[in-house]
Amino acid sequence: MNIIEHIVESYTWLIGVLALLGIELAPIKVYPIKYIGQCLSKWLGIKQLDDKVNNLKKEVDNNELDRIRYEILQFSGSLRNGLKRSTTDYQHIEDIFKKYTSKGGNSYIMHEMEYIRECHDKGMIL
């Protein structure tokens, strides 16, 4: 009897377990658990749910960017109109600007932040 035939006959159960786990025993790769998982996720609609969650996350991020942009514009507008703002307000604007840039905000607000920082340096912010 050939050594390979002996191993196959003696360890059939082990080869079956390894095949179920997706262990590669030959150049042919078979991942039955992965295939079953894909079928289940398709049947349960998990892929569509994941897409909806990702779209919702993008929408929330865009809304957050809009809110921050508006708040920075309001702050710089109030400084242009001669309103004195507190250091606490200035620190808040600096903090949300960091958040804005980390979320991928554009350079238009950068010009407004430069104006706000100039006002801070000139003492227009108490």
Side-chain angles (χ1 to χ4, degrees), residues 32-49:
I33 292 177
K34 181 179 176 183
Y35 177 73
I36 291 169
Q38 288 173 344
C39 291
L40 276 175
S41 68
K42 186 175 182 178
W43 182 69
L44 293 173
I46 294 173
K47 176 69 173 146
Q48 291 85 359
L49 185 61

Side-chain angles (χ1 to χ4, degrees), residues 74-75 78-79 83-87 89-90 124-126:
Q74 287 295 321
F75 189 87
S78 68
L79 290 174
L83 184 65
K84 297 278 186 183
R85 302 299 295 256
S86 70
T87 305
D89 292 340
Y90 173 73
M124 294 175 65
I125 298 175
L126 303 175

Side-chain angles (χ1 to χ4, degrees), residues 1-2 5 14 25 27 37-38 41 46 49 90 103 107 112:
M1 185 185 286
N2 189 335
E5 291 174 355
L14 180 61
L25 296 176
Q38 288 173 344
S41 68
I46 294 173
L49 185 61
Y90 173 73
K103 288 187 176 281
S107 62
E112 294 299 315

Side-chain angles (χ1 to χ4, degrees), residues 72-85 108-119 124-125:
I72 292 172
L73 289 172
Q74 287 295 321
F75 189 87
S76 66
S78 68
L79 290 174
R80 283 190 172 88
N81 290 329
L83 184 65
K84 297 278 186 183
R85 302 299 295 256
Y108 171 70
I109 294 299
M110 186 62 183
H111 299 295
E112 294 299 315
M113 282 306 297
E114 288 173 5
Y115 175 74
I116 291 170
R117 290 174 180 144
E118 286 174 16
C119 291
M124 294 175 65
I125 298 175

Side-chain angles (χ1 to χ4, degrees), residues 30-105:
V30 177
Y31 300 104
I33 292 177
K34 181 179 176 183
Y35 177 73
I36 291 169
Q38 288 173 344
C39 291
L40 276 175
S41 68
K42 186 175 182 178
W43 182 69
L44 293 173
I46 294 173
K47 176 69 173 146
Q48 291 85 359
L49 185 61
D50 188 47
D51 291 343
K52 286 181 183 180
V53 168
N54 288 336
N55 289 338
L56 185 61
K57 183 185 178 309
K58 288 177 188 175
E59 189 174 326
V60 167
D61 285 345
N62 288 337
N63 287 342
E64 181 71 5
L65 287 174
D66 288 343
R67 185 196 62 79
I68 291 172
R69 187 179 306 116
Y70 178 77
E71 192 169 345
I72 292 172
L73 289 172
Q74 287 295 321
F75 189 87
S76 66
S78 68
L79 290 174
R80 283 190 172 88
N81 290 329
L83 184 65
K84 297 278 186 183
R85 302 299 295 256
S86 70
T87 305
T88 307
D89 292 340
Y90 173 73
Q91 285 301 324
H92 172 69
I93 293 298
E94 284 289 345
D95 290 341
I96 65 171
F97 178 69
K98 288 177 189 173
K99 188 176 185 179
Y100 181 79
T101 55
S102 72
K103 288 187 176 281

